[in-house]
Amino acid sequence: DTEVTQTPKHLVMGMTNKKSLKCEQHMGHRAMYWYKQKAKKPPELMFVYSYEKLSINESVPSRFSPECPNSSLLNLHLHALQPEDSALYLCASSFSVWESGGSGYTGELFFGEGSRLTVL
Amino acid sequence: KNEVEQSPQNLTAQEGEFITINCSYSVGISALHWLQQHPGGGIVSLFMLSSGKKKHGRLIATINIQEKHSSLHITASHPRDSAVYICAVKETSGSRLTFGEGTQLTVNP
């Protein structure tokens, strides 16, 4: 099983709603990532979890709240979003988090299909 | 100037043509990724390279570390190859990927 599964595929929400995006992998990967991608732009890193602990937060607004309940699951909780938050949200996983210095880099990424979010 | 530059930005080819997409970068790297993204979103990792050349089916990726340059070649292109191809590098002095802007490839039948 080399899949990263994201649900839902599409989500429309109002600015006062609370919703969650879910990501699941069963490859034994210990690093999981959330990326945000706007149309015709490359993905932008939001969060990195390594061994179920948050290791990188790219100064993401607090209306986005990540959660890693176990090594296979990654959630992104959404609350009080703005229309400009509408984007494709991509989850990815890798065997381990990238290691500085280049040694032992095992960072091949496996991406999910993404959750397309529209905020009205 | 972006740290990762791809060319061309857009490429249209006829089915069967040989295609080359280029990626140049300006930083020291420990690895370079080629990714494919189809309309609708999902990204597939095609190659991860740190030196030399890799081949998978009709796809070939090469990297020249001294020249800080990588190429992705597609032989006997097919309409199903139509997608955005993204180059991304893992810098030696960091823990993030830096992405290029992507190359939109359209292969016409």
Side-chain angles (χ1 to χ4, degrees), chain A residues 21-101:
Chain A
L21 306 180
K22 181 178 169 182
C23 174
E24 195 166 0
Q25 58 86 16
H26 297 285
M27 294 178 277
H29 289 174
R30 304 315 298 266
M32 296 185 77
Y33 315 84
W34 281 114
Y35 285 88
K36 173 183 176 180
Q37 187 179 28
K38 302 285 268 186
K40 299 190 185 300
K41 290 292 184 184
E44 300 170 33
L45 183 65
M46 299 175 72
F47 302 104
V48 180
Y49 272 83
S50 176
Y51 290 86
E52 299 155 51
K53 288 187 171 24
L54 183 65
S55 63
I56 295 176
N57 176 342
E58 293 285 88
S59 302
V60 178
S62 60
R63 57 186 185 268
F64 295 92
S65 174
E67 179 197 17
C68 189
N70 60 57
S71 59
S72 299
L73 279 176
L74 185 66
N75 297 321
L76 186 63
H77 302 298
L78 314 170
H79 175 52
L81 295 194
Q82 304 296 311
E84 60 264 29
D85 296 321
S86 298
L88 181 70
Y89 288 83
L90 290 158
C91 175
S93 70
S94 65
F95 182 73
S96 67
V97 73
W98 309 307
E99 295 169 24
S100 295

Coordinates of all heavy atoms in Angstrom, one line a residue, chain A residues 21-101:
Chain A
L21 N -9.9 18.5 7.8 CA -9.4 17.6 6.7 C -8.6 16.5 7.3 O -8.0 16.6 8.3 CB -8.4 18.5 5.8 CG -9.0 19.7 5.2 CD1 -7.9 20.4 4.3 CD2 -10.2 19.5 4.4
K22 N -8.7 15.3 6.6 CA -8.1 14.1 7.2 C -7.1 13.5 6.2 O -7.4 13.5 5.0 CB -9.2 13.1 7.5 CG -8.7 11.8 8.2 CD -9.9 10.9 8.5 CE -9.4 9.5 8.8 NZ -10.6 8.6 9.1
C23 N -6.0 13.0 6.7 CA -5.0 12.3 5.9 C -4.6 11.0 6.5 O -4.4 11.0 7.8 CB -3.8 13.3 5.7 SG -2.4 12.5 4.8
E24 N -4.4 10.0 5.8 CA -4.1 8.7 6.3 C -3.1 8.0 5.4 O -3.2 8.0 4.2 CB -5.4 7.8 6.4 CG -5.3 6.6 7.3 CD -6.6 6.0 7.6 OE1 -7.7 6.6 7.2 OE2 -6.7 5.0 8.3
Q25 N -2.1 7.3 6.1 CA -1.1 6.5 5.3 C -0.8 5.3 6.2 O -0.7 5.4 7.4 CB 0.1 7.3 4.9 CG 0.9 7.9 6.1 CD 1.9 7.0 6.7 OE1 2.3 6.0 6.2 NE2 2.4 7.4 7.9
H26 N -0.5 4.2 5.5 CA -0.2 2.9 6.2 C 1.1 2.4 5.6 O 1.3 1.2 5.5 CB -1.3 1.9 6.0 CG -2.6 2.4 6.7 ND1 -2.8 2.4 8.0 CD2 -3.7 2.9 6.1 CE1 -4.0 2.9 8.3 NE2 -4.6 3.2 7.2
M27 N 2.1 3.3 5.3 CA 3.4 2.8 4.8 C 4.4 2.8 5.9 O 5.6 2.6 5.6 CB 3.8 3.8 3.7 CG 2.9 3.7 2.5 SD 3.3 4.9 1.2 CE 2.5 6.4 1.7
G28 N 4.0 3.1 7.1 CA 5.0 3.1 8.2 C 5.9 4.4 8.2 O 6.9 4.4 8.8
H29 N 5.4 5.4 7.4 CA 6.2 6.7 7.4 C 6.0 7.4 8.7 O 4.9 7.4 9.3 CB 5.6 7.5 6.2 CG 6.0 7.0 4.9 ND1 5.6 7.6 3.7 CD2 6.8 6.0 4.5 CE1 6.1 6.9 2.7 NE2 6.8 6.0 3.1
R30 N 7.1 8.0 9.1 CA 7.0 8.7 10.4 C 7.0 10.2 10.3 O 7.0 11.0 11.3 CB 8.2 8.3 11.3 CG 8.3 6.8 11.5 CD 6.9 6.1 11.9 NE 6.4 6.6 13.1 CZ 6.5 6.0 14.3 NH1 7.2 4.9 14.4 NH2 6.0 6.5 15.4
A31 N 7.1 10.7 9.0 CA 7.0 12.1 8.8 C 5.7 12.4 7.9 O 5.5 11.7 6.9 CB 8.2 12.7 8.1
M32 N 4.9 13.4 8.3 CA 3.8 13.8 7.6 C 3.7 15.3 7.4 O 4.1 16.0 8.3 CB 2.5 13.2 8.2 CG 2.5 11.7 8.2 SD 1.0 10.9 8.8 CE -0.1 11.2 7.4
Y33 N 3.1 15.7 6.3 CA 3.2 17.1 6.0 C 1.8 17.6 5.5 O 1.1 16.9 4.8 CB 4.2 17.4 4.8 CG 5.5 16.6 5.0 CD1 5.6 15.3 4.6 CD2 6.6 17.3 5.5 CE1 6.8 14.6 4.7 CE2 7.8 16.6 5.6 CZ 7.9 15.3 5.2 OH 9.1 14.6 5.4
W34 N 1.6 18.9 5.8 CA 0.5 19.6 5.1 C 1.1 20.7 4.2 O 1.9 21.5 4.7 CB -0.5 20.3 6.1 CG -1.5 19.4 6.7 CD1 -1.5 19.0 8.0 CD2 -2.5 18.7 6.1 NE1 -2.6 18.2 8.2 CE2 -3.2 17.9 7.1 CE3 -3.0 18.6 4.8 CZ2 -4.3 17.2 6.8 CZ3 -4.1 17.9 4.5 CH2 -4.8 17.1 5.5
Y35 N 0.6 20.7 3.0 CA 0.9 21.8 2.0 C -0.3 22.5 1.6 O -1.4 21.9 1.5 CB 1.6 21.2 0.8 CG 3.0 20.8 0.9 CD1 3.3 19.5 1.3 CD2 4.1 21.6 0.6 CE1 4.6 19.1 1.4 CE2 5.4 21.2 0.7 CZ 5.7 19.9 1.1 OH 6.9 19.5 1.2
K36 N -0.2 23.8 1.2 CA -1.3 24.5 0.6 C -0.9 24.9 -0.8 O 0.3 25.4 -1.0 CB -1.5 25.8 1.5 CG -2.5 26.8 0.9 CD -2.6 28.0 1.7 CE -3.5 29.1 1.1 NZ -3.6 30.3 2.0
Q37 N -1.8 24.8 -1.7 CA -1.4 25.1 -3.1 C -2.5 25.9 -3.7 O -3.7 25.5 -3.8 CB -1.2 23.8 -4.0 CG -0.7 24.1 -5.3 CD -0.4 22.9 -6.2 OE1 -1.1 21.9 -6.0 NE2 0.5 23.0 -7.1
K38 N -2.1 27.1 -4.2 CA -3.1 28.0 -4.9 C -2.9 27.7 -6.4 O -1.9 27.1 -6.8 CB -2.7 29.5 -4.7 CG -2.8 29.9 -3.2 CD -4.3 30.0 -2.7 CE -4.8 31.4 -2.9 NZ -6.1 31.5 -2.3
A39 N -3.9 28.1 -7.2 CA -3.9 27.7 -8.6 C -2.6 28.2 -9.3 O -2.2 29.4 -9.1 CB -5.1 28.4 -9.3
K40 N -2.1 27.4 -10.1 CA -0.9 27.7 -10.9 C 0.3 28.1 -10.1 O 1.2 28.8 -10.7 CB -1.2 28.7 -12.0 CG -2.3 28.3 -13.0 CD -2.5 29.2 -14.1 CE -3.6 28.9 -15.0 NZ -3.5 27.6 -15.6
K41 N 0.4 27.7 -8.9 CA 1.5 27.9 -8.0 C 2.0 26.6 -7.5 O 1.3 25.7 -7.4 CB 1.1 28.9 -6.9 CG 0.8 30.3 -7.3 CD 2.0 31.0 -7.8 CE 1.8 32.4 -8.2 NZ 3.0 33.0 -8.8
P42 N 3.3 26.6 -7.1 CA 3.8 25.4 -6.4 C 3.3 25.2 -5.0 O 2.8 26.2 -4.4 CB 5.3 25.6 -6.4 CG 5.5 27.0 -6.5 CD 4.4 27.6 -7.3
P43 N 3.3 24.0 -4.4 CA 2.9 23.9 -3.1 C 3.7 24.7 -2.1 O 4.9 24.9 -2.3 CB 3.1 22.4 -2.8 CG 3.2 21.7 -4.2 CD 3.8 22.8 -5.0
E44 N 3.0 25.1 -1.0 CA 3.7 25.9 0.1 C 3.6 25.0 1.3 O 2.5 24.6 1.7 CB 3.0 27.2 0.3 CG 3.0 28.2 -0.8 CD 2.1 29.4 -0.5 OE1 2.0 29.7 0.7 OE2 1.4 29.9 -1.4
L45 N 4.7 24.8 2.0 CA 4.7 24.0 3.2 C 4.0 24.7 4.3 O 4.2 25.9 4.5 CB 6.1 23.7 3.6 CG 6.3 22.8 4.8 CD1 5.7 21.4 4.6 CD2 7.8 22.7 5.2
M46 N 3.1 24.0 5.0 CA 2.4 24.6 6.2 C 3.0 24.0 7.5 O 3.4 24.7 8.4 CB 0.9 24.3 6.1 CG 0.2 24.9 4.9 SD -1.5 24.4 4.8 CE -2.2 25.3 6.2
F47 N 2.9 22.7 7.6 CA 3.3 22.0 8.8 C 4.1 20.7 8.5 O 3.8 20.0 7.5 CB 2.1 21.6 9.7 CG 1.2 22.7 10.1 CD1 0.0 22.9 9.4 CD2 1.5 23.6 11.1 CE1 -0.9 24.0 9.8 CE2 0.7 24.6 11.5 CZ -0.5 24.8 10.8
V48 N 4.9 20.3 9.4 CA 5.6 19.0 9.3 C 5.5 18.3 10.7 O 5.8 19.0 11.7 CB 7.1 19.1 9.0 CG1 7.7 17.7 8.9 CG2 7.3 19.9 7.7
Y49 N 5.1 17.1 10.7 CA 5.1 16.3 11.9 C 6.1 15.2 11.7 O 6.2 14.5 10.7 CB 3.7 15.6 12.1 CG 2.8 16.4 12.9 CD1 2.0 17.4 12.3 CD2 2.6 16.2 14.3 CE1 1.2 18.2 13.0 CE2 1.8 17.0 15.0 CZ 1.0 18.0 14.4 OH 0.2 18.8 15.1
S50 N 6.9 15.0 12.8 CA 7.9 13.9 12.8 C 7.7 13.1 14.0 O 7.7 13.7 15.2 CB 9.3 14.5 12.8 OG 10.3 13.5 12.9
Y51 N 7.5 11.8 13.9 CA 7.2 10.9 15.0 C 6.1 11.5 15.9 O 6.2 11.6 17.1 CB 8.5 10.7 15.8 CG 9.5 9.8 15.1 CD1 10.4 10.4 14.2 CD2 9.5 8.5 15.2 CE1 11.3 9.6 13.5 CE2 10.4 7.7 14.5 CZ 11.3 8.2 13.7 OH 12.2 7.5 13.0
E52 N 5.1 12.0 15.2 CA 3.8 12.5 15.8 C 4.0 13.8 16.6 O 3.1 14.2 17.3 CB 3.2 11.4 16.7 CG 2.9 10.1 15.9 CD 2.8 8.9 16.8 OE1 2.2 8.9 17.8 OE2 3.5 7.8 16.4
K53 N 5.1 14.4 16.4 CA 5.3 15.7 17.1 C 5.5 16.8 16.0 O 6.2 16.6 15.0 CB 6.6 15.7 18.0 CG 6.4 14.9 19.2 CD 7.6 15.0 20.1 CE 7.5 14.4 21.5 NZ 6.5 13.3 21.7
L54 N 4.9 17.9 16.3 CA 5.0 19.0 15.3 C 6.4 19.5 15.3 O 7.0 20.0 16.3 CB 4.0 20.2 15.7 CG 4.0 21.4 14.8 CD1 3.4 21.0 13.4 CD2 3.1 22.5 15.4
S55 N 7.1 19.5 14.1 CA 8.5 19.9 14.1 C 8.6 21.2 13.3 O 9.6 21.9 13.5 CB 9.4 18.8 13.5 OG 9.0 18.5 12.1
I56 N 7.7 21.5 12.4 CA 7.8 22.7 11.6 C 6.4 23.3 11.5 O 5.4 22.6 11.2 CB 8.4 22.5 10.2 CG1 9.8 22.0 10.3 CG2 8.2 23.8 9.4 CD1 10.4 21.7 8.9
N57 N 6.3 24.6 11.8 CA 5.1 25.4 11.6 C 5.5 26.6 10.9 O 6.3 27.4 11.4 CB 4.4 25.7 12.9 CG 3.2 26.6 12.7 OD1 3.0 27.3 11.7 ND2 2.4 26.7 13.8
E58 N 5.1 26.7 9.6 CA 5.6 27.8 8.8 C 4.8 29.1 9.0 O 4.3 29.7 8.1 CB 5.6 27.4 7.3 CG 6.5 26.3 6.9 CD 8.0 26.8 6.8 OE1 8.7 26.8 7.8 OE2 8.4 27.2 5.7
S59 N 4.7 29.5 10.3 CA 4.0 30.7 10.6 C 2.6 30.7 10.0 O 2.1 31.7 9.5 CB 4.8 31.9 10.1 OG 6.1 32.0 10.7
V60 N 1.9 29.6 10.2 CA 0.6 29.5 9.7 C -0.4 30.1 10.7 O -0.3 29.9 11.9 CB 0.2 28.0 9.4 CG1 -1.2 27.8 8.9 CG2 1.2 27.3 8.5
P61 N -1.4 30.8 10.2 CA -2.4 31.4 11.1 C -3.1 30.4 12.0 O -3.3 29.2 11.5 CB -3.4 32.1 10.1 CG -2.6 32.3 8.9 CD -1.6 31.2 8.8
S62 N -3.4 30.8 13.1 CA -4.0 29.8 14.1 C -5.4 29.3 13.7 O -5.8 28.4 14.3 CB -4.1 30.5 15.5 OG -4.9 31.6 15.4
R63 N -6.0 29.9 12.7 CA -7.2 29.3 12.2 C -7.0 28.0 11.6 O -8.0 27.3 11.3 CB -8.0 30.3 11.3 CG -7.2 30.7 10.1 CD -7.9 31.8 9.3 NE -7.3 32.2 8.1 CZ -6.4 33.2 8.0 NH1 -6.1 33.9 9.0 NH2 -5.9 33.5 6.8
F64 N -5.8 27.6 11.3 CA -5.4 26.3 10.9 C -4.8 25.6 12.1 O -3.7 26.0 12.5 CB -4.4 26.3 9.7 CG -5.0 26.9 8.5 CD1 -4.8 28.2 8.2 CD2 -5.7 26.1 7.5 CE1 -5.4 28.8 7.0 CE2 -6.2 26.7 6.4 CZ -6.0 28.0 6.1
S65 N -5.3 24.4 12.5 CA -4.8 23.7 13.6 C -4.5 22.3 13.3 O -5.4 21.5 13.0 CB -5.8 23.8 14.8 OG -5.4 23.0 15.9
P66 N -3.2 21.9 13.2 CA -2.9 20.5 12.8 C -3.0 19.6 14.1 O -2.9 20.0 15.2 CB -1.5 20.6 12.3 CG -0.9 21.7 13.1 CD -2.0 22.7 13.4
E67 N -3.2 18.3 13.8 CA -3.2 17.3 14.8 C -2.7 16.0 14.3 O -3.1 15.6 13.1 CB -4.7 17.1 15.3 CG -4.8 16.1 16.4 CD -6.3 15.7 16.6 OE1 -7.1 15.9 15.7 OE2 -6.5 15.1 17.7
C68 N -1.9 15.3 15.0 CA -1.4 14.0 14.6 C -1.8 13.0 15.7 O -1.0 12.7 16.6 CB 0.1 14.0 14.3 SG 0.8 12.6 13.5
P69 N -2.9 12.3 15.6 CA -3.4 11.4 16.7 C -2.5 10.2 16.8 O -2.4 9.7 17.9 CB -4.8 11.1 16.3 CG -5.2 12.0 15.2 CD -3.9 12.5 14.6
N70 N -2.0 9.7 15.7 CA -1.1 8.6 15.7 C -0.3 8.6 14.4 O -0.4 9.5 13.6 CB -1.9 7.2 15.8 CG -2.8 7.0 14.7 OD1 -2.4 7.0 13.5 ND2 -4.1 6.8 15.0
S71 N 0.6 7.6 14.3 CA 1.6 7.7 13.2 C 1.0 7.6 11.8 O 1.7 7.8 10.8 CB 2.7 6.6 13.4 OG 2.1 5.3 13.4
S72 N -0.2 7.1 11.7 CA -0.9 6.9 10.4 C -1.8 8.1 10.0 O -2.3 8.1 8.9 CB -1.7 5.6 10.4 OG -0.9 4.5 10.6
L73 N -2.2 8.9 11.0 CA -3.2 9.9 10.7 C -2.7 11.3 10.9 O -1.9 11.6 11.9 CB -4.4 9.7 11.7 CG -5.4 8.6 11.4 CD1 -6.4 8.5 12.6 CD2 -6.1 8.9 10.1
L74 N -3.2 12.2 10.1 CA -2.9 13.6 10.2 C -4.2 14.4 9.9 O -4.8 14.1 8.9 CB -1.8 14.0 9.2 CG -1.3 15.4 9.3 CD1 -0.6 15.7 10.6 CD2 -0.3 15.7 8.2
N75 N -4.5 15.3 10.8 CA -5.7 16.1 10.6 C -5.3 17.6 10.5 O -4.3 18.0 11.0 CB -6.7 15.9 11.8 CG -7.2 14.5 11.9 OD1 -7.5 13.8 11.0 ND2 -7.3 14.1 13.2
L76 N -6.2 18.3 9.8 CA -6.1 19.8 9.8 C -7.4 20.3 10.1 O -8.4 20.2 9.4 CB -5.6 20.2 8.4 CG -5.3 21.7 8.3 CD1 -4.1 22.1 9.2 CD2 -4.9 22.1 6.8
H77 N -7.5 20.9 11.3 CA -8.8 21.5 11.8 C -8.8 23.0 11.3 O -7.9 23.7 11.4 CB -8.8 21.4 13.3 CG -8.7 20.0 13.8 ND1 -9.6 19.0 13.5 CD2 -7.8 19.4 14.6 CE1 -9.3 17.9 14.1 NE2 -8.2 18.1 14.7
L78 N -10.0 23.3 10.8 CA -10.2 24.6 10.2 C -11.3 25.4 10.9 O -12.4 24.8 11.2 CB -10.7 24.4 8.7 CG -9.9 23.4 7.9 CD1 -10.6 23.1 6.5 CD2 -8.5 23.9 7.7
H79 N -11.0 26.6 11.2 CA -12.0 27.4 12.0 C -11.8 28.9 11.6 O -10.7 29.4 11.6 CB -11.8 27.2 13.5 CG -12.7 28.1 14.3 ND1 -14.1 28.2 14.1 CD2 -12.4 29.0 15.3 CE1 -14.6 29.0 15.0 NE2 -13.6 29.5 15.7
A80 N -13.0 29.5 11.3 CA -13.0 31.0 11.0 C -12.1 31.3 9.9 O -11.3 32.2 9.9 CB -12.6 31.8 12.3
L81 N -12.2 30.5 8.8 CA -11.3 30.8 7.6 C -11.8 32.0 6.8 O -12.9 32.4 7.0 CB -11.3 29.5 6.7 CG -10.6 28.3 7.3 CD1 -10.4 27.2 6.2 CD2 -9.4 28.6 8.1
Q82 N -10.9 32.4 6.0 CA -11.2 33.6 5.1 C -11.3 33.1 3.7 O -10.7 32.0 3.3 CB -10.0 34.6 5.2 CG -9.8 35.1 6.6 CD -11.0 35.8 7.2 OE1 -11.5 36.7 6.5 NE2 -11.4 35.5 8.4
P83 N -12.0 33.8 2.8 CA -12.0 33.4 1.4 C -10.7 33.2 0.8 O -10.5 32.3 -0.1 CB -12.8 34.5 0.7 CG -13.7 35.1 1.8 CD -12.8 35.0 3.1
E84 N -9.7 33.9 1.2 CA -8.3 33.7 0.6 C -7.7 32.4 1.0 O -6.6 32.1 0.5 CB -7.4 34.9 0.9 CG -7.2 35.1 2.4 CD -8.1 36.2 3.0 OE1 -9.2 36.4 2.4 OE2 -7.7 36.8 3.9
D85 N -8.3 31.7 1.9 CA -7.8 30.4 2.3 C -8.2 29.3 1.4 O -7.8 28.2 1.5 CB -8.2 30.0 3.7 CG -7.7 31.0 4.8 OD1 -6.5 31.4 4.7 OD2 -8.4 31.3 5.7
S86 N -9.1 29.7 0.4 CA -9.5 28.7 -0.6 C -8.3 28.2 -1.4 O -7.6 29.1 -1.9 CB -10.5 29.3 -1.5 OG -11.7 29.7 -0.8
A87 N -8.1 26.9 -1.4 CA -6.9 26.4 -2.1 C -7.1 24.9 -2.1 O -8.0 24.3 -1.6 CB -5.7 26.8 -1.3
L88 N -6.1 24.2 -2.7 CA -5.9 22.8 -2.6 C -5.0 22.5 -1.5 O -3.9 23.0 -1.4 CB -5.3 22.2 -3.9 CG -5.1 20.7 -4.0 CD1 -6.5 20.0 -4.1 CD2 -4.3 20.4 -5.2
Y89 N -5.4 21.6 -0.5 CA -4.6 21.3 0.6 C -4.1 19.8 0.4 O -4.9 18.9 0.3 CB -5.4 21.4 1.9 CG -5.6 22.9 2.2 CD1 -6.6 23.6 1.6 CD2 -4.7 23.6 3.0 CE1 -6.8 25.0 1.9 CE2 -4.8 24.9 3.3 CZ -5.9 25.6 2.7 OH -6.1 27.0 2.9
L90 N -2.8 19.7 0.4 CA -2.2 18.5 0.1 C -1.5 17.9 1.3 O -0.8 18.6 2.0 CB -1.1 18.6 -1.0 CG -1.6 19.0 -2.4 CD1 -0.5 19.6 -3.3 CD2 -2.1 17.7 -3.1
C91 N -1.7 16.6 1.5 CA -1.0 15.9 2.6 C 0.1 15.1 1.9 O -0.1 14.6 0.8 CB -2.0 15.0 3.3 SG -1.2 14.0 4.6
A92 N 1.2 14.9 2.6 CA 2.3 14.1 2.1 C 2.9 13.3 3.3 O 2.8 13.7 4.4 CB 3.3 14.9 1.3
S93 N 3.6 12.2 2.9 CA 4.3 11.5 4.0 C 5.7 11.1 3.4 O 5.9 11.0 2.2 CB 3.6 10.3 4.5 OG 3.5 9.3 3.5
S94 N 6.6 10.8 4.3 CA 7.9 10.3 3.9 C 8.4 9.4 5.0 O 7.9 9.5 6.2 CB 8.9 11.4 3.6 OG 9.2 12.1 4.7
F95 N 9.4 8.6 4.7 CA 9.9 7.6 5.7 C 10.3 8.3 7.0 O 10.1 7.9 8.1 CB 11.0 6.8 5.1 CG 11.5 5.7 6.0 CD1 10.8 4.6 6.3 CD2 12.8 5.8 6.7 CE1 11.2 3.6 7.2 CE2 13.2 4.9 7.5 CZ 12.5 3.8 7.8
S96 N 11.1 9.4 6.8 CA 11.5 10.2 7.9 C 11.6 11.6 7.5 O 11.5 11.9 6.4 CB 12.9 9.7 8.5 OG 13.9 10.0 7.5
V97 N 11.7 12.4 8.5 CA 11.8 13.9 8.2 C 13.2 14.1 7.6 O 14.1 13.4 7.8 CB 11.7 14.7 9.5 CG1 12.8 14.6 10.4 CG2 11.4 16.2 9.1
W98 N 13.3 15.1 6.7 CA 14.5 15.4 6.1 C 15.6 15.7 7.1 O 15.3 16.4 8.1 CB 14.4 16.6 5.1 CG 13.2 16.4 4.2 CD1 13.0 15.3 3.4 CD2 12.1 17.3 4.0 NE1 11.8 15.5 2.7 CE2 11.3 16.7 3.1 CE3 11.8 18.6 4.5 CZ2 10.1 17.4 2.6 CZ3 10.7 19.2 4.1 CH2 9.8 18.6 3.1
E99 N 16.8 15.3 6.9 CA 17.8 15.5 7.8 C 18.8 16.5 7.3 O 19.3 16.4 6.2 CB 18.6 14.2 8.1 CG 17.6 13.2 8.8 CD 18.2 11.8 8.9 OE1 19.5 11.7 8.8 OE2 17.5 10.8 9.0
S100 N 19.1 17.5 8.1 CA 20.0 18.5 7.6 C 21.4 17.9 7.4 O 21.8 16.9 8.1 CB 20.2 19.6 8.7 OG 18.9 20.3 8.8
G101 N 22.2 18.5 6.5 CA 23.5 18.0 6.3 C 23.6 17.0 5.2 O 24.6 16.6 4.7

